[in-house]
Amino acid sequence: MSLNVPWVSERVGRLVLNVPTDRLPRPAEPATPTSRFDGIVRLAAAGVGLVVDCRGPSLPRVLHWGADLGSPVADELAALAQARRPVVVPNVPDVPAAVAVLPEHAGGWLGLPGLRGHRDGRDWSTQFAVEAVECKAAVSGGTLRVRAVDAVAALELRLDLELTPAGLIRMGVSLRNSGDDVYVLDGLVVALPLPDIATELLELTGRWGRERSPQRRPFPVSTHIRDSRRGRTGSDSTLLLVAGEAGFGFRHGRVWGAHVAWSGNHRTYAERLPSGEAVIGGGELLLSGEVRLAPGESYEAPVVHAGYGVGLDELAHRFTSYVRSRPGHPSTPRPVVLNTWEAVYFDQNIDRLRGLADLGAQVGAELFVLDDGWFHGRRDDTSSLGDWFVDAGRWPAGLHPIVEHVRSVGMRLGLWVEPEMVSPDSDLARAHPDWILTAGGRRPPLVRNQAVLDLTRPEVSAYLLDRLDALIVEYALDYLKWDHNRDLIDAGSAAGTAAVHAQTLAVYALLDTLRARHPGLEIESCSSGGARVDLGILARTDRVWASDCIDPVERQTIQRWTGLLLPPELIGSHVGAPRNHTTGRRHDLSFRAGTALFGHFGIEWDLAGADEAELDELTAWVQLYKHHRHWLHRGRVVRADTADASTLIHGIVADDGDQALYAVVQMSSSVTTTPGRIRLPGLAPDTRFTISRTGPGPGPATTALVPVRWPETGTTVSGRFLAEVGLQAPPLNPEQLLLLQVRKHRSEER
Ligand code: GLA
């Protein structure tokens, strides 16, 4: 075995020795002069540190993503670069692979490659060289833009990395074909490194009526891929994929999570290789031949958002703080919604709707949303999607009578639409059978009796824009509930190629145009409930409908996990009828309303069937929501780790720390007779707080033999005591919710 000649890279000043295996395991140390570390970028924000090696010539690699390291001096940066430097061991490339933000096969990375594509079979493997690095570090966070080229494959890459002031990483990447012929792009994903201690994965799955159910699994050497191929985000989409220290919870254990901001097919993955390297990342999931870049054309990947935290609460806080910092984030008080769907379904009778509006106004609702059933010929879900004209039979004078009535009782108006869909039994489908997405000359299977329009055809988008615009103008609509009630199957364009990518962009463009024309209009993203929840759609909508299921037992879980990504004001949450329409369970109003209170509150209940006592109690809940929403929708969401899964505890702490609302939720009966103490996390440890039960009505039902004495007048303890010791919880009956108000003790106030 011969000793290879040492190889020196001029550019980075690094010495790498290839040594015979019999001299292992002591590879030579590199001679790296500290003065040459000017290509290492260090960003920090909100307790998060990001250190990126941009010295080239290969693509940037992240040296550290996790807790802020303070201000490392050059020596420490050098040590950090070395600590992450792969070493030569038997049976690996002589220059081991260093995983870049876009992992490349050419460097020896044997995990998922960041870029997959080819030029009629050629240029299938790339090796980009960095051409320019532009870094703008701010006091909090900063941006990094890297331009790289592969002259052989004739491709150009632009990588944009941002550490936001909230401590969230945003990674964008675009690819340009600088060659003379077509480059077929098969996939483009970006990834960030995970440390060895991230040995457990948390992901979400779901179905209609039960979105965002958590699943946990060990994360050994393996590739764990979550692909969504539904042509929409999907009710089973993971939302976030989280890797963390074994046993991590809401309040403990370091976690690293990624989210792909895209409403079409997408991939989120975590991978640990036998080399010990691990990454988490994602991107769009492209169908065969979907993206073909002509000379000079570019592809822009969806932004991957990545967060770090000690405990899921901190991770979620970074995501929600970033979401709140976006310029378009709703800033006005979130109005109490009255939605007609579970109240009247398709029975859109003017007298019934007027009555509903009157009762809605009486209890304090502020936005009346006329759901499905108002348009031409729509009597049930078997027909009429696409015919976005008011039904002349039901509404001979148009929607004006109900619109005027709703406004006369002081509410704003919203309308349900499902623009991307078409019923075969519709005038639109009869006139334009070729407007439907299809493949192979077949008709894709119908779902809920409907097919999907091909919005990549300009005339289809133009028709929808025209109809939506006309409705918004005629009725001065304040709000659209924008639905999308099926997965895309065989979604091909007229050209015969797969169209999910282009369809997703066309929907975004339609939404963007409408919003530009109607800046005051708010839009809700609904998709068979919560199947379109992602930061791509939320860049052009104002809230999501988290699920069609408004049973509070189910909603507790759905909202808890949707809250990993979104703050409460973006999560639509309605009070339904006493007996839930989806599950058949019956619940007290205090459980239904106490659950809705922690989202964007609304009502979806035929109030004509409610008695006076129920209307009075509902009015009081609406008042409670209105009283607190200004701080609830700016506060920090906290969740306690409970040993007994039958009890959930969550709350919102005001951003000034002066007050908080907590819900203690008994999901099912407990194994133990008394529940023990409940800990309320998230309050300033050295401040004293007064705790009392709040909420209308007599309080939740308990199994105690003597009536429970609720702390109506207040118990006063420190934030530290509440987080570490807690209060004795009352033995609640199953499916009951106790609402606790926590206020800074008077003597603490200045
Ligand atoms: C979907 C939505 C519901 C409702 C119906 C109307 O299922 O998720 O909220 O709007 O459509 O058809």
Side-chain angles (χ1 to χ4, degrees):
M1 204 170 273
S2 64
L3 186 67
N4 291 334
V5 178
W7 172 84
V8 182
S9 161
E10 291 296 329
R11 174 103 181 238
V12 299
R14 174 187 293 175
L15 180 71
V16 178
L17 269 179
N18 291 319
V19 294
T21 48
D22 56 5
R23 293 197 202 160
L24 293 174
R26 294 182 57 225
E29 282 305 306
T32 313
T34 53
S35 58
R36 304 193 63 171
F37 271 90
D38 47 343
I40 295 185
V41 172
R42 179 191 160 271
L43 301 172
V48 174
L50 177 68
V51 184
V52 191
D53 182 348
C54 294
R55 295 168 303 170
S58 54
L59 290 173
R61 62 188 182 118
V62 170
L63 300 176
H64 171 72
W65 168 39
D68 184 3
L69 301 175
S71 302
V73 291
D75 277 355
E76 283 175 314
L77 286 177
L80 189 59
Q82 288 195 28
R84 288 205 72 95
R85 191 179 61 86
V87 295
V88 183
V89 293
N91 202 32
V92 301
D94 294 344
V95 179
V99 56
V101 173
L102 184 99
E104 284 189 293
H105 180 68
W109 176 251
L110 297 173
L112 279 182
L115 172 63
R116 288 180 304 113
H118 62 97
R119 218 182 277 282
D120 201 16
R122 289 172 294 108
D123 300 333
W124 59 278
S125 178
T126 57
Q127 187 164 44
F128 285 96
V130 171
E131 287 244 307
V133 178
E134 192 187 316
C135 176
K136 289 185 191 149
V139 178
S140 192
T143 57
L144 177 65
R145 170 166 285 199
V146 176
R147 204 165 60 76
V149 296
D150 181 328
V152 178
L155 293 169
E156 291 172 17
L157 198 71
R158 204 196 66 222
L159 273 170
D160 283 300
L161 236 87
E162 179 188 3
L163 182 67
T164 72
L168 197 75
I169 297 176
R170 302 179 74 238
M171 294 189 287
V173 55
S174 75
L175 181 79
R176 182 172 176 275
N177 177 11
S178 49
D180 297 330
D181 45 9
V182 169
Y183 180 81
V184 178
L185 178 63
D186 293 329
L188 187 56
V189 294
V190 285
L192 288 170
L194 290 171
D196 57 343
I197 52 166
T199 56
E200 195 170 312
L201 292 177
L202 167 75
E203 61 188 345
L204 306 180
T205 183
R207 58 166 170 84
W208 176 84
R210 188 169 169 175
E211 295 83 345
R212 287 168 282 289
S213 294
Q215 296 182 158
R216 293 179 82 131
R217 62 179 74 230
F219 178 33
V221 172
S222 59
T223 302
H224 185 66
I225 300 180
R226 287 299 308 271
D227 280 351
S228 181
R229 296 174 185 274
R230 297 176 180 277
R232 57 174 166 173
T233 324
S235 48
D236 62 340
S237 155
T238 188
L239 192 78
L240 278 179
L241 179 63
V242 179
E245 289 181 286
F248 64 83
F250 285 103
R251 311 295 304 174
H252 64 90
R254 282 171 282 183
V255 286
W256 293 260
H259 164 81
V260 181
W262 187 244
S263 314
N265 295 338
H266 61 282
R267 163 170 290 183
T268 321
Y269 76 102
E271 177 165 57
R272 167 166 284 123
L273 296 189
S275 64
E277 301 272 13
V279 294
I280 189 165
E284 185 177 4
L285 182 67
L286 294 172
L287 296 173
S288 298
E290 204 169 28
V291 174
R292 294 167 55 84
L293 298 177
E297 278 186 353
S298 297
Y299 164 83
E300 191 96 28
V303 175
V304 174
H305 295 67
Y308 160 78
V310 179
L312 291 167
D313 271 2
E314 198 175 272
L315 174 90
H317 181 64
R318 294 209 166 100
F319 273 99
T320 55
S321 303
Y322 160 70
V323 169
R324 282 175 168 165
S325 71
R326 300 165 312 149
H329 189 73
S331 54
T332 54
R334 298 295 77 210
V336 176
V337 172
L338 174 63
N339 183 290
T340 63
W341 181 240
E342 286 204 6
V344 304
Y345 291 102
F346 287 107
D347 184 21
Q348 291 200 351
N349 164 313
I350 179 71
D351 294 330
R352 199 170 168 194
L353 288 173
R354 276 202 192 109
L356 184 66
D358 289 343
L359 289 168
Q362 180 189 320
V363 300
E366 298 162 306
L367 173 66
F368 185 94
V369 178
L370 185 64
D371 211 285
D372 193 357
W374 57 267
F375 48 97
H376 181 59
R378 184 77 161 176
R379 296 289 182 276
D380 53 35
D381 66 10
T382 60
S383 75
S384 307
L385 292 170
D387 296 345
W388 302 111
F389 298 86
V390 176
D391 185 70
R394 254 177 188 169
W395 302 100
L399 294 177
H400 292 289
I402 187 64
V403 169
E404 279 156 24
H405 187 77
V406 162
R407 294 226 157 92
S408 75
V409 293
M411 281 190 275
R412 282 178 274 160
L413 192 92
L415 196 63
W416 179 93
V417 290
E418 197 180 357
E420 293 132 277
M421 299 297 156
V422 64
S423 310
D425 181 6
S426 66
D427 291 349
L428 188 75
R430 281 183 283 273
H432 301 286
D434 53 332
W435 280 14
I436 293 172
L437 286 170
T438 175
R442 304 177 289 270
R443 272 294 152 104
L446 298 178
V447 181
R448 207 193 185 203
N449 311 302
Q450 61 197 57
V452 189
L453 287 173
D454 181 358
L455 269 67
T456 70
R457 295 176 78 125
E459 64 274 32
V460 176
S461 281
Y463 164 76
L464 292 173
L465 179 62
D466 178 64
R467 288 315 315 141
L468 293 167
D469 192 67
L471 289 162
I472 295 164
V473 170
E474 179 166 5
Y475 299 109
L477 295 177
D478 301 290
Y479 189 91
L480 286 180
K481 177 178 173 185
W482 186 298
D483 215 332
H484 182 288
N485 278 317
R486 61 161 293 174
D487 294 329
L488 272 55
I489 300 171
D490 259 0
S493 68
T497 51
V500 171
H501 168 76
Q503 174 87 351
T504 310
L505 289 177
V507 175
Y508 284 173
L510 180 58
L511 282 159
D512 291 344
T513 309
L514 263 187
R515 285 173 74 90
R517 282 195 192 175
H518 306 282
L521 179 78
E522 290 206 6
I523 302 178
E524 170 174 17
S525 170
C526 174
S527 184
S528 322
R532 192 146 67 178
V533 177
D534 65 82
L535 293 182
I537 200 74
L538 272 162
R540 54 258 310 162
T541 54
D542 302 279
R543 78 166 203 173
V544 299
W545 183 226
S547 176
D548 273 352
C549 184
I550 50 178
D551 175 327
V553 169
E554 307 296 334
R555 271 301 182 123
Q556 281 294 330
T557 311
I558 293 167
Q559 290 172 201
R560 163 172 281 233
W561 294 105
T562 307
L564 279 190
L565 183 75
L566 301 183
E569 63 272 23
L570 296 189
I571 305 175
S573 186
H574 295 173
V575 178
R579 186 183 171 96
N580 183 265
H581 293 193
T582 310
T583 64
R585 291 195 193 106
R586 283 190 167 276
H587 292 115
D588 292 349
L589 183 49
S590 59
F591 190 20
R592 284 138 58 210
T595 299
L597 188 65
F598 288 86
H600 176 186
F601 191 97
I603 302 161
E604 198 162 328
W605 173 11
D606 184 5
L607 295 176
D611 62 25
E612 279 307 311
E614 285 175 317
L615 290 175
D616 287 349
E617 191 182 333
L618 181 60
T619 307
W621 279 104
V622 168
Q623 282 166 353
L624 187 81
Y625 166 75
K626 288 181 178 171
H627 182 70
H628 291 295
R629 64 184 164 190
H630 69 281
W631 68 265
L632 286 176
H633 293 170
R634 291 212 312 267
R636 180 171 185 146
V637 177
V638 292
R639 303 133 186 114
D641 291 309
T642 51
D644 184 344
S646 66
T647 309
L648 295 181
I649 299 164
H650 60 90
I652 302 179
V653 180
D655 57 358
D656 60 8
D658 280 3
Q659 57 179 325
L661 266 184
Y662 289 90
V664 180
V665 189
Q666 197 64 44
M667 298 288 281
S668 58
S669 68
S670 169
V671 175
T672 55
T673 315
T674 53
R677 287 188 295 246
I678 46 167
R679 282 166 289 129
L680 305 181
L683 297 162
D686 295 319
T687 305
R688 293 182 69 75
F689 294 93
T690 302
I691 302 110
S692 50
R693 185 192 80 83
T694 188
T702 82
T703 56
L705 290 179
V706 284
V708 171
R709 209 167 48 80
W710 302 117
E712 312 278 0
T713 49
T715 303
T716 299
V717 285
S718 70
R720 179 175 287 109
F721 183 95
L722 283 170
E724 299 298 331
V725 181
L727 304 171
Q728 175 59 49
L732 298 180
N733 280 348
E735 301 178 6
Q736 295 285 321
L737 181 147
L738 170 66
L739 195 61
L740 293 173
Q741 174 152 33
V742 176
R743 283 183 191 284
K744 202 189 238 184
H745 187 54
R746 280 240 185 81
S747 66
E748 303 270 343
E749 285 164 9
R750 277 156 289 162

